[in-house]
Amino acid sequence: MEKQNSQYKLYLSIVIPVYNEQENLEELFSRLKKTLDENKYSWELIFINDGSRDNSGEALIRIHNQNPQVKVLEFNRNYGQHAAVFAGFSAVEGEIVVVLDADLQNPPEEIPNLVKKIEEGFDVVSGLREKRQDSLLRKIPSFFMAKVISYATGVSMKDYGTMLRAYRRDIIENVKECQEISSYIPALANLFANKVTEINCRHDSRKGGKSKYSFYRLLKLNFDFMTGFSSIPIHLVSVLGLFVSLLGLGFGAFLGARRIIFGDQPGEQGIFTLFAILFFFVGIQIFSLGLIGEYIGRIYSEVRKRPRYFIKKKYIHK
Ligand code: UDP
Ligand code: MG
């Protein structure tokens, strides 16, 4: 099945971000190598060590030393999964690019299925996590985020949270052109893709170590997406603000009219109603401010034009 497009050196580039995954790397590599060799692809593997503080770095260099197909890019510190994947993209030489997690939640054995779909003519093939092995606290927000991202990008997908995806190389070349710092790769890639599809993929629970996403990091990622891909939130807030003001106006008019027609209402605890209304307004104001802050914060990081990451060292066989 050795298909080689003359334009590219290799058929398959696998990109894997690694942050404190020492328990998983050996098994990950051996399962990957087995699958890729069995399918007779010409392949390369690009690991990005995203500032791991455990022994992942040593393990990766060991794998690199023993395998000419393995490249390792080492960051000077932790920049996050998406920055790591971007760095991986800068080194790909294959015609098809596959991204997957290092924790074995995405079984490497699914890669040939993704590749087959690309061969059928799709630009992006995404792994749909059939029975996702994560907590409900992760699954429920993901369900809603997938709806929002589908709406914002105009490309409907059931699972936008998974990084297990295969891309045609030209999509990756387009993604690399995008210089913004806070970005969400699956949504970005779909902006450039013409034909996308999802296929069911197994999803396992994490082999070793623990998830790198705290509630706060997930929140940041979702804000990255929202502010990076649409001005919907800002519009929604404006509409909501308008609606609430009209409501307040109507209520005021109602109270005024009642007073004129029925006179004063003795004994009415109006003060509490007033407080309720006040809190409502204040809540919306704080929320709007926060949202504007989110946009401004991102504009600030874009204008600084700092590099998205800094590669300390590259391990690449010549
Ligand atoms: N990761 C990374 N940098 C980070 C956080 C995560 O490179 O700052 C990698 C991590 O090593 C793994 C993948 O991104 O390969 C997904 O991370 P994780 O499994 O913690 O996410 P979850 O499955 O909980 O969404
Ligand atoms: Mg995981």
mmCIF file of all heavy atoms in Angstrom, residues 192 226 258 299:
data_model
loop_
_atom_site.group_PDB
_atom_site.id
_atom_site.type_symbol
_atom_site.label_atom_id
_atom_site.label_comp_id
_atom_site.label_asym_id
_atom_site.label_seq_id
_atom_site.Cartn_x
_atom_site.Cartn_y
_atom_site.Cartn_z
ATOM 1 N N PHE A 192 -10.429 25.719 6.635
ATOM 2 C CA PHE A 192 -9.760 25.568 5.343
ATOM 3 C C PHE A 192 -10.181 24.314 4.601
ATOM 4 O O PHE A 192 -9.817 24.106 3.455
ATOM 5 C CB PHE A 192 -8.238 25.537 5.537
ATOM 6 C CG PHE A 192 -7.721 26.745 6.246
ATOM 7 C CD1 PHE A 192 -7.105 26.641 7.482
ATOM 8 C CD2 PHE A 192 -7.881 27.997 5.680
ATOM 9 C CE1 PHE A 192 -6.646 27.761 8.135
ATOM 10 C CE2 PHE A 192 -7.419 29.121 6.328
ATOM 11 C CZ PHE A 192 -6.804 29.004 7.557
ATOM 12 N N MET A 226 -13.883 30.840 21.577
ATOM 13 C CA MET A 226 -14.995 31.778 21.380
ATOM 14 C C MET A 226 -14.527 33.120 20.853
ATOM 15 O O MET A 226 -15.119 33.678 19.943
ATOM 16 C CB MET A 226 -15.730 31.986 22.698
ATOM 17 C CG MET A 226 -16.735 30.902 22.952
ATOM 18 S SD MET A 226 -17.942 31.516 24.081
ATOM 19 C CE MET A 226 -17.516 30.632 25.527
ATOM 20 N N ARG A 258 -49.366 52.083 37.353
ATOM 21 C CA ARG A 258 -50.121 51.552 38.476
ATOM 22 C C ARG A 258 -50.310 52.628 39.539
ATOM 23 O O ARG A 258 -51.369 52.759 40.140
ATOM 24 C CB ARG A 258 -49.367 50.362 39.066
ATOM 25 C CG ARG A 258 -50.230 49.527 39.996
ATOM 26 C CD ARG A 258 -49.508 48.323 40.473
ATOM 27 N NE ARG A 258 -48.348 48.694 41.277
ATOM 28 C CZ ARG A 258 -47.748 47.854 42.129
ATOM 29 N NH1 ARG A 258 -48.189 46.611 42.231
ATOM 30 N NH2 ARG A 258 -46.719 48.231 42.823
ATOM 31 N N ILE A 299 -6.166 40.518 22.303
ATOM 32 C CA ILE A 299 -5.565 41.523 21.413
ATOM 33 C C ILE A 299 -4.187 41.892 21.960
ATOM 34 O O ILE A 299 -3.212 41.992 21.225
ATOM 35 C CB ILE A 299 -6.459 42.788 21.319
ATOM 36 C CG1 ILE A 299 -7.781 42.441 20.638
ATOM 37 C CG2 ILE A 299 -5.743 43.896 20.552
ATOM 38 C CD1 ILE A 299 -8.813 43.536 20.702
#
